Amino acid sequence: PAAGGPAEGAPVLRGAFAVQVGAFAVEANARRLAARLGATFRAVRVVEFQDNRATWWRVRVGGYGDEEEAASAAAAFAEQDLAGFVVRED
């Protein structure tokens, strides 16, 4: 499936928390990671963010219903050598 599209058998996620698994200065790099994760997880997306220095593309997986559920997902990502941290979606 395309990044952000459904993966077969993966649960649909609709909560307010996500796990950010990457932030890239090059959009193509963010999209590449999102596509790789999109093969396994639903609700993978690339979120553009601008600060006063640059534009960043953040790769997030979520929305989990609560912070604890998102933290559990982040721990599962860490077991796959993919560091991530919990964020509350805007």
Side-chain angles (χ1 to χ4, degrees):
E8 289 293 320
V12 175
L13 302 173
R14 300 184 195 279
F17 293 89
V19 178
Q20 184 168 313
V21 293
F24 298 87
V26 177
E27 183 179 10
N29 294 340
R31 300 241 173 246
R32 194 169 16 262
L33 176 59
R36 184 174 61 118
L37 293 174
T40 305
F41 302 97
R42 286 187 187 233
V44 177
R45 65 202 165 282
V46 175
V47 179
E48 185 176 345
F49 173 77
Q50 293 184 341
D51 65 16
N52 61 351
R53 295 171 289 146
T55 300
W56 299 93
W57 287 270
R58 297 170 167 173
V59 181
R60 293 184 173 175
V61 180
Y64 299 98
D66 58 41
E67 193 170 359
E68 184 177 314
E69 186 180 5
S72 178
F77 287 126
E79 290 176 4
Q80 299 175 32
D81 294 322
L82 190 60
F85 57 92
V86 175
V87 295
R88 182 170 179 92
E89 297 284 45
D90 297 333

